[in-house]
Amino acid sequence: MTTLDQLQPGDEATVLDLQGEPETCERLMEMGLVPSTPLRVLKFAPLGDPMEIVMRGYHLTLRKHEAAGVQVEVLSA
């Protein structure tokens, strides 16, 4: 188990839990980032923040501090 901000481009994972400020967690869940959601890390901005993921058929850009509160399980290749 790790957090979303620790993954690298191309990594695939499944969301386990969201932690952090309640407002941030609620906003992420409203965007579809809920437990059991599979996702893939696409890329990071040139300076490393933000990061882009794809899940549920759409692209989502998150700041690293937001991604740090998303507990994920990395899927084996």
Side-chain angles (χ1 to χ4, degrees), residues 29-60:
M29 289 191 298
E30 288 171 351
M31 291 188 286
L33 204 59
V34 296
S36 301
T37 302
L39 59 87
R40 181 168 39 97
V41 178
L42 292 181
K43 59 186 174 180
F44 289 88
L47 296 176
D49 192 27
M51 65 185 300
E52 183 178 356
I53 64 171
V54 64
M55 61 172 208
R56 299 183 182 266
Y58 74 94
H59 295 234
L60 179 64

